[in-house]
Amino acid sequence: MSGHTDMVLVDENGIRIDGRRVDEKRPIKIEAGVLKNASGSCYLEIGKNKVLCAVYGPRECRPRHLQDPTKAVIQVKYNMEAYSVTDRKRPGTDRRSVEISKLIAEALECVVQTELYPRASIDVYIEILQANAGTRCAGLTAASVALADAGIPMRDIVPAIACGKADGNVLLDLNKEEDNYGQADVPIAIVPSTDEIVLLQMDGNMTREELDHGLDMAIAAAHEVYEIQRDALKRRYASISKKEGESDE
Ligand code: ADP
């Protein structure tokens, strides 16, 4: 987020370097139930980001000292693969991945009915296979689909998307160049049934009016992401019912 580059990020016609309008999100593909051995799973692409998420549980919480007698704990592990970026990333946990894992767990705790599973753990593994900015939003969006695929009771599912600012324009869903050289990046996640915001961060600077405009765009786009999440789950349930029907015959 340097805010300085000779690159034109938004041209005089309001078109961005990847051809999008300022209020256009990248194409999204979501598939639920892609892994056989996990309780639930999801593969998601948004633009050039590729994310795989696996959920295990609810199961006995380990290590035991993390158990909560009143509810399940959600343990998230966000991991960017070494090959997910153009310069090899140093493998393993770093401050950024710890921070993102915590943010995602806190957002999911707002919707998962953890009180139904005292002392249990719900383990969420998010693997970033290919990164192009917006991976925390992509990871959280995939995680809520994977949790629903695991059959874990939730009040709602959580879609996430960023808004921000580059070349003086308020933008939806920043790509890597806009994230690197723009003036602000604001990832958000909402609970669609109430529009409650369960994740909000801001890196960079925007005026109050720009932020309000960006949030309006991001909340509207999050509702569209929600529909794509629901469609993925409907396709998944339809394929499970079809298989069950075939095995009954
Ligand atoms: P997000 O992916 O949620 O936007 P950041 O703003 O921290 O999170 O990162 C923006 C982008 O910068 C990432 O999606 C990725 O493309 C790139 N990036 C982040 N960390 C690294 C790293 N350690 N090495 C190389 N590229 C990175």
Coordinates of all heavy atoms in Angstrom, one line a residue, residues 24 61 88 102 171-172 239 245:
E24 N -16.7 -3.1 -9.9 CA -16.9 -4.4 -10.3 C -16.0 -5.4 -9.5 O -14.8 -5.1 -9.4 CB -16.5 -4.5 -11.8 CG -17.1 -5.7 -12.6 CD -16.7 -5.6 -14.1 OE1 -16.5 -4.5 -14.6 OE2 -16.7 -6.7 -14.7
C61 N -11.4 -31.1 21.6 CA -10.5 -30.0 21.5 C -9.1 -30.4 22.0 O -9.0 -30.9 23.1 CB -11.0 -28.8 22.2 SG -9.9 -27.4 22.1
R88 N 9.0 -16.7 -4.2 CA 8.7 -17.8 -3.2 C 8.5 -17.2 -1.8 O 9.4 -16.4 -1.4 CB 9.8 -18.8 -3.2 CG 9.6 -19.9 -2.2 CD 10.8 -20.9 -2.3 NE 10.7 -21.9 -1.3 CZ 11.2 -21.8 0.0 NH1 11.6 -20.6 0.4 NH2 11.1 -22.8 0.8
K102 N -6.7 -15.3 13.3 CA -7.4 -14.9 14.4 C -8.7 -14.1 13.9 O -9.8 -14.3 14.4 CB -6.5 -14.0 15.3 CG -7.2 -13.5 16.6 CD -6.1 -12.9 17.5 CE -6.7 -12.4 18.8 NZ -7.5 -11.3 18.6
L171 N -12.6 1.9 -5.0 CA -12.7 0.7 -5.8 C -13.3 -0.4 -5.0 O -13.1 -0.5 -3.8 CB -11.3 0.3 -6.3 CG -10.4 1.2 -7.1 CD1 -9.1 0.6 -7.4 CD2 -11.1 1.6 -8.4
L172 N -13.8 -1.4 -5.8 CA -14.3 -2.6 -5.1 C -13.3 -3.7 -5.4 O -12.8 -3.8 -6.6 CB -15.7 -3.0 -5.7 CG -16.3 -4.3 -5.2 CD1 -16.7 -4.1 -3.7 CD2 -17.5 -4.7 -6.0
S239 N -26.2 -32.9 -5.3 CA -25.4 -34.0 -5.8 C -25.4 -35.1 -4.7 O -25.4 -36.3 -5.0 CB -24.0 -33.6 -6.2 OG -23.2 -33.6 -5.1
G245 N -30.1 -41.2 -3.6 CA -31.2 -41.8 -4.4 C -30.7 -43.0 -5.2 O -31.3 -44.0 -5.2

